[in-house]
Amino acid sequence: MGTQAPTTTCSLPPSRPDSYRAYGDELDAREPLPEDFPDHNAHQAAWKQWDAEYEVFQERKTSGAVFIQDNGCGFSTLLVVAGPYQGSLWFDGRATCDRILPLNLDGRPVSFMDWLARRSMDLVGW
């Protein structure tokens, strides 16, 4: 019995994560606040629904990529395996700056082979 690989699309941001900002801001503005509900249970139910949407939003940012390195403190390096950025590497800095940044070397996207010889932090280009 054979298995078929799942189809994936890459929704990593273009050169900067700005494409997610508007939706992220709108989603943040909709976060349910306790004072807007008659009781704790009603707030918790609304917040759980909002949080589920937020989790999908966060997962969508890295679809088409695999985590290839844990850089500590919540930072990761991603290898894009599908979509227009296939083969490039990105730095997931959402732990502190809520951004996913392309790794680059002398102004060009970093390939896996480029990355093997260097540290991700040296290639971020903050």
Side-chain angles (χ1 to χ4, degrees), residues 2 6-7 15 17 24 28 30 40 58 64 71 84 102 106 114 120 124-125:
T7 304
S15 60
D28 286 345
R30 287 192 289 116
H40 175 74
Q58 291 301 322
N71 297 306
D106 301 324
D114 291 333
S120 294
V124 174

Side-chain angles (χ1 to χ4, degrees), residues 31-85:
E31 181 176 0
L33 303 174
E35 58 269 17
D36 295 333
F37 293 86
D39 60 58
H40 175 74
N41 290 338
H43 171 252
Q44 284 300 103
W47 192 88
K48 284 180 182 179
Q49 184 176 8
W50 174 87
D51 188 52
E53 183 179 352
Y54 185 82
E55 287 299 317
V56 169
F57 171 59
Q58 291 301 322
E59 287 295 319
R60 200 174 296 146
K61 289 180 179 181
T62 58
S63 69
V66 293
F67 290 82
I68 60 170
Q69 183 178 39
D70 181 340
N71 297 306
C73 299
F75 299 115
S76 300
T77 301
L78 307 170
L79 171 64
V80 180
V81 296
Y85 301 106

Side-chain angles (χ1 to χ4, degrees), residues 90-109:
W90 294 66
F91 184 78
D92 187 347
R94 290 179 289 175
T96 60
C97 68
D98 200 30
R99 298 180 73 187
I100 300 173
L101 304 166
L103 298 183
N104 66 75
L105 183 61
D106 301 324
R108 65 177 172 79

